[in-house]
Amino acid sequence: MYRNFADVARACAQRGIGPAQLFLESECRLTERAPDEVRAQLRERWAVMEASARQALEAPQRTAGGLIDGMAHRQWTYAPGQSLCGPFLNRVMARALSCSEVNASMGRICAAPTAGACGVLPAVLVSLQEERGLRWEALEGALLVASGFGAVVMRNATVAGAEGGCQAECGVAAAMAAAAAVQAAGGTLEQMLSAFSHALSCCMGLICDPVAGLVQVPCAQRNASQAVSALLCADLALAGQVFPIPADEVVEAMRRVGRQLPPELRETAQGGIADTETGRAIAARLAQE
């Protein structure tokens, strides 16, 4: 069993296998399930991800408080000729927003690693599948890498906004998605680790400040931005940009930073944009409805 990324790298090197295979075998041991059973569960999770990334694109969802109703549809129908980021990234953002909308309307999502960050990984992988025509084998490997990398974070730090801020939710989701994207692109474990570290370092210290205590603003916007960040960081790694700090040290830094954040900046809605004049007014209005 691997405890950290150094263990993962060592095991893969000693056995001559990739991380996806290592994580599959580990999951089989931990759950006492056969590989085909684990693969079947991955397909089930993928179906949920696909559906949530699509559901709000054409049919805006009704959310509690209505702070993000229709966001995915607006982004999806944004004229391609106007998009500064281009049609591909615009679709990535729309799909991330769709998952957030579905989550906020009590729909079915796949926490990856949390409900508040559920849009990042689906937006990245669904969009890559569409753009590159990825076969299921590539998606399966990417999902295994994302889950395995997330498990390392869970073992050594946290993915809870209430404990570590949004860096632990959307930030870890972006890091998982960046590693998964490298796997889907045929990259090496070293590149996956660099992509992971690039992504997590880019949002180090990101606070959790949900307006009115709802998982909507700025959660939905951060799902969109971190999905784009995941792809950016994957490209950095695939281009040979090696992150100089080992991934295990990046995770430890994130853990320490999370503990240093005051309670006001850890999902309590008592700091950040939740504690602005308008943020407080929105909370007061929703409390009366």
Side-chain angles (χ1 to χ4, degrees):
M1 175 62 183
Y2 55 89
R3 296 165 300 170
N4 50 40
F5 289 119
D7 282 352
V8 171
R10 189 178 304 111
C12 287
Q14 289 175 347
R15 298 185 52 203
I17 61 174
Q21 180 63 31
L22 181 73
F23 296 143
L24 174 63
E25 293 177 5
S26 175
E27 183 68 11
C28 290
R29 286 196 301 272
L30 287 171
T31 62
E32 298 183 343
R33 291 192 175 103
D36 285 347
E37 292 180 273
V38 173
R39 291 189 173 101
Q41 279 199 322
L42 280 177
R43 281 190 177 272
E44 292 175 9
R45 302 295 191 275
W46 176 246
V48 174
M49 289 185 183
E50 277 190 305
S52 63
R54 180 181 64 250
Q55 186 172 330
L57 298 180
E58 299 295 347
Q61 309 296 292
R62 297 192 63 179
T63 64
L67 299 181
I68 62 172
D69 292 16
M71 282 189 71
H73 177 68
R74 283 192 294 276
Q75 201 67 44
W76 187 250
T77 56
Y78 178 38
Q82 295 177 319
S83 173
L84 299 176
C85 293
F88 174 66
L89 290 183
N90 195 65
R91 293 195 297 272
V92 170
M93 290 186 281
R95 287 178 170 128
L97 293 171
S98 176
C99 295
S100 291
E101 238 179 287
V102 171
N103 177 56
S105 63
M106 302 303 292
R108 193 177 186 209
I109 53 88
C110 184
T114 65
C118 67
V120 179
L121 183 62
V124 167
L125 293 185
V126 170
S127 299
L128 283 176
Q129 180 192 36
E130 176 188 75
E131 185 77 4
R132 296 202 167 196
L134 298 179
R135 298 171 63 89
W136 168 246
E137 290 76 15
L139 291 170
E140 178 182 273
L143 290 169
L144 285 166
V145 163
S147 61
F149 273 53
V152 171
V153 177
M154 282 287 293
R155 185 181 182 94
N156 295 283
T158 182
V159 296
E163 187 175 4
C166 199
Q167 59 167 5
E169 292 208 28
C170 286
V172 172
M176 291 165 55
V182 171
Q183 166 73 25
T188 65
L189 173 57
E190 290 73 20
Q191 290 170 327
M192 294 176 214
L193 291 169
S194 276
F196 174 95
S197 299
H198 280 302
L200 194 52
S201 68
C202 281
C203 63
M204 189 73 66
L206 184 61
I207 65 173
C208 185
D209 51 346
V211 172
L214 300 173
V215 187
Q216 297 186 35
V217 177
C219 316
Q221 293 88 343
R222 287 176 181 164
N223 272 260
S225 67
Q226 292 306 310
V228 172
S229 176
L231 288 163
L232 179 155
C233 292
D235 258 342
L236 284 173
L238 289 166
Q241 314 293 353
V242 178
F243 198 77
I245 310 300
D248 286 320
E249 294 183 33
V250 175
V251 171
E252 172 59 18
M254 188 270 287
R255 186 192 68 82
R256 292 198 311 270
V257 169
R259 296 186 67 178
Q260 291 166 351
L261 291 175
E264 291 81 4
L265 304 181
R266 286 187 274 129
E267 209 174 340
T268 59
Q270 296 176 350
I273 66 166
D275 193 35
T276 59
E277 181 179 352
T278 299
R280 292 192 299 271
I282 291 173
R285 171 176 61 82
L286 295 180
Q288 296 173 352
E289 293 181 354

